Amino acid sequence: MAPTLRTPTERTCERCGRTEVWDDETGTWRVAEETDEGAGADSTDGRPVGSPYCIHEWDINGAFVPFEDVDAAEV
């Protein structure tokens, strides 16, 4: 069986702490708010945080595995 492609749903800037979540409705990243799942410490009172002038350094480190091996899960 072919591997399943997984996509990230959240990312955080390592420089300013801005957290963004993937919005399936618009097909884009949007700034996370406290009410969003997984957006706890990086937002306060529903207001987005982080610098709009930051050249964001997203937490991309190679730990995310985009392909899920379905055959290995069946063993």
Side-chain angles (χ1 to χ4, degrees), residues 4-73:
T4 304
L5 177 64
R6 297 181 320 120
T7 55
T9 56
E10 181 179 323
R11 63 185 184 183
T12 303
C13 177
E14 295 179 345
R15 293 182 181 184
C16 70
R18 176 185 177 123
T19 299
E20 295 185 348
V21 293
W22 182 255
D23 188 345
D24 285 327
E25 291 180 15
T26 60
T28 60
W29 293 98
R30 66 177 175 80
V31 177
E33 296 181 0
E34 188 174 328
T35 56
D36 294 326
E37 285 186 32
D42 294 321
S43 299
T44 56
D45 301 327
R47 293 175 292 163
V49 296
S51 172
Y53 305 107
C54 178
I55 299 174
H56 300 297
E57 180 74 33
W58 301 113
D59 56 345
I60 301 169
N61 59 13
F64 180 79
V65 180
F67 290 99
E68 185 176 282
D69 189 1
V70 180
D71 294 331

